[in-house]
Amino acid sequence: MNLNELIKKQDELEMQMTAEDEEELVAEGAIIQLVSFVLDDVEYGVDILAVHEILRFPEITRLPNTPNFIIGVINLRGNVIPVVDVRRRFGFPRAKVTDLTRIIVIETNDKLVGLMVDNVHQVVRITQNNVDPPSELIEGVSEKYIWGIGRLKDRLIVILNLANILFLEED
């Protein structure tokens, strides 16, 4: 059996999976649930268990002498939360804030952090078998920010390592 036949067979098996089977795989940790978002037409994902909530773009208070990727802080029900412009953190140019711009509030290293993204796409379920580690050929960004690359039918989703989004020193 060649590789294409194997991939086709695996896709057919995944389509035949019942809701009970899927719940069992989620309980065993074999399926990862991600909140996906888009930056420059690339889909990224963060573990849904780390996501506290998703906000429309709020009023942000700028702070002096912070790294350029920290755009300020927000007040979320009495908690002051830093907001990271994910585009700037990854070295992309800053984008205009639109009606689709969102803040994904996540918990990392026991702290709440807001991630400013262009557009929250959807909740995605991926089996562990469909997640590959970042390639050793990709140096720099991958080892710092990427936990893995998820394959979902005809899409690739870059799964982020949230621990380094805010707390790794800026280069």
Side-chain angles (χ1 to χ4, degrees), residues 9 59 91:
K9 188 172 183 176
E59 184 73 29

Side-chain angles (χ1 to χ4, degrees), residues 122-157:
Q122 68 184 115
V123 174
V124 176
R125 300 174 103 146
I126 299 180
T127 62
Q128 289 272 3
N129 297 340
N130 287 338
V131 177
D132 296 322
S135 172
E136 294 177 6
L137 299 175
I138 305 170
E139 294 182 13
V141 170
S142 67
E143 60 199 35
K144 294 178 192 172
Y145 306 120
I146 299 174
W147 178 77
I149 308 290
R151 297 180 317 265
L152 185 67
K153 296 182 184 169
D154 60 343
R155 296 165 32 198
L156 291 177
I157 301 172

